[in-house]
Amino acid sequence: MSFRISYAPPADDTLAKMRDGESFRDEMARTLGQEPYGHASSAVKSERDRREATVSGAIVLYYVSRSVLTVTVVRLVPLP
């Protein structure tokens, strides 16, 4: 089962500025798109569906919607 990855406007703006944006999108689909509760992610503030993970050198804050199989990235912080 795979999850659709969507980006909220602030995360989408950051992604557009990343020089390796396409490879980042591919890695998101390969990791969190397949297992949003895996990939060494952790719950934020004890909310199971509000999560944080590091993917391709970027910190990703996202929400998981199991009912519609969507991962929504709300904040994206590329590491220097």
Side-chain angles (χ1 to χ4, degrees), residues 29-71:
R30 191 183 69 74
T31 58
L32 299 180
Q34 296 301 312
E35 182 52 54
Y37 297 100
H39 194 65
S41 68
S42 59
V44 174
K45 296 185 180 180
S46 301
E47 295 180 43
R48 175 173 162 73
D49 294 331
R50 182 178 178 193
R51 307 199 62 85
E52 183 177 79
T54 301
V55 177
S56 290
I59 299 169
V60 181
L61 179 62
Y62 62 99
Y63 288 93
V64 179
S65 176
R66 291 175 279 176
S67 61
V68 292
L69 299 177
T70 301
V71 169

